[in-house]
Amino acid sequence: MNSISDLLGKTVVDITQVLNDELIFKTNCGRAYKMYHYQDCCECVEIEET
């Protein structure tokens, strides 16, 4: 598992929202990082705004 700190020192050039619970961060060095949330039982998690 990676953490958001993996983006330290990198330049994010694009953020794409996938569905309601996932973001893809693309960096200028060509790497892509996915931020998502594993659903647990009855909860509902959504990204409302980026």
Side-chain angles (χ1 to χ4, degrees):
M1 180 179 290
N2 298 327
S3 73
I4 195 73
S5 65
D6 290 346
L7 290 171
L8 284 174
K10 295 177 176 61
T11 302
V12 175
V13 295
D14 187 47
I15 301 173
T16 306
Q17 185 169 339
V18 180
L19 301 175
N20 290 328
D21 62 352
E22 185 175 304
L23 293 176
I24 305 293
F25 296 87
K26 294 183 183 171
T27 63
N28 65 339
C29 63
R31 304 263 335 234
Y33 298 85
K34 178 169 47 172
M35 183 178 86
Y36 57 93
H37 176 77
Y38 282 117
Q39 190 95 5
D40 184 26
C41 185
C42 316
E43 71 179 355
C44 180
V45 175
E46 293 183 2
I47 300 167
E48 292 185 7
E49 186 176 337
T50 55

